Amino acid sequence: MQLPRGRPRAFDVEAAVERAMDVFWSRGYHGTALPDLLRATKLSRGSLYAAFGDKHSLFLRALDRYIADALARIDFEFDPRKDPVDGLRTHLAGYVERTSGANGRRGCLLVATAMELAGKDAEVCRRVASFFKAMEGRVADALSRAKAAGKLADGVEPASAARILVCFVEGLRVTGKTAPARAASQATADALLDCFIR
């Protein structure tokens, strides 16, 4: 009988990733130092390196977690069993909520990462681009279903409209850092969607 090698991990890896994600989200990649991560995860240096490799690997793991959570939320909003226009309105309302007031000031880990690292770090660039492509595809699918149901305005192409909507919500993430009023952002989101919907 073969005995297991080494001691089993005595901590919740996913909880540690989530705590690290919060640090990176608050401070940015370059603004986060190893002692910040050790404090947040409550791990020793040796345990952190054994579990995640290094700061960059832990950051990629945290970014993957953030992306997975965002895609799960989008999949719920665009559940094909629901009306696609309702899904689009829910999707936009969620971004309005996340980009208004104190929520908006926190910003978006993905957008902050794109601004800080995407032009310099190939792994980060690949992840960010993949997320935007996946998001755009889900929005386009909802718009295609709306078109099939006769709910899109004449001349609206789902792929182009999806690109516009993704650019809009990511722009909300940036302007959200100034904590805009929720009502103003919601009115803008409604006006944009009304350009596409009958």
Side-chain angles (χ1 to χ4, degrees), residues 85 88-89 143 146 151-153 156 193-198:
V85 174
L88 288 161
R89 291 201 186 281
L143 288 162
K151 295 182 177 182
L152 278 197
V156 173
L193 190 57
D194 286 346
C195 293
F196 300 141
I197 303 300
R198 286 185 193 273

Side-chain angles (χ1 to χ4, degrees), residues 2-189:
Q2 187 174 8
L3 295 174
R5 297 176 64 189
R7 289 184 301 172
R9 290 206 177 107
F11 65 92
D12 183 333
V13 172
E14 288 309 309
V17 170
E18 185 165 354
R19 289 192 291 267
M21 181 180 74
D22 284 338
V23 177
F24 287 123
W25 196 346
S26 298
R27 297 173 174 262
Y29 178 75
H30 290 301
T32 298
L34 183 60
D36 301 323
L37 295 169
L38 298 178
R39 263 192 309 277
T41 60
K42 299 179 174 63
L43 296 177
S44 69
R45 183 184 298 258
S47 293
L48 187 139
Y49 280 119
F52 303 111
D54 57 15
K55 173 184 162 180
H56 189 258
S57 298
L58 177 54
F59 177 73
L60 292 178
R61 184 87 174 259
L63 188 60
D64 287 342
R65 167 72 182 268
Y66 187 89
I67 289 169
D69 289 348
L71 290 176
R73 182 181 65 244
I74 293 168
D75 286 339
F76 177 77
E77 292 164 348
F78 292 139
D79 184 329
R81 294 167 294 186
K82 299 177 186 174
D83 179 81
V85 174
D86 289 346
L88 288 161
R89 291 201 186 281
T90 299
H91 179 66
L92 290 177
Y95 271 93
V96 167
E97 181 63 33
R98 288 187 294 278
T99 59
S100 301
N103 289 337
R105 282 200 190 281
R106 186 172 194 207
C108 170
L109 176 62
L110 194 86
V111 170
T113 296
M115 299 298 288
E116 183 182 7
L117 297 175
K120 307 165 192 163
D121 184 318
E123 280 297 305
V124 166
C125 188
R126 186 180 61 75
R127 283 165 165 81
V128 171
S130 177
F131 170 75
F132 287 143
K133 184 176 180 181
M135 182 182 181
E136 196 174 297
R138 285 158 168 81
V139 175
D141 180 66
L143 288 162
S144 293
R145 287 187 288 115
K147 184 173 185 173
K151 295 182 177 182
L152 278 197
D154 292 340
V156 173
E157 285 305 316
S160 297
R163 202 162 300 117
I164 291 166
L165 287 169
V166 169
C167 288
F168 171 72
V169 296
E170 296 309 333
L172 275 182
R173 286 298 213 175
V174 175
T175 59
K177 295 290 279 183
T178 65
R182 188 183 189 288
S185 295
Q186 186 64 60
T188 306

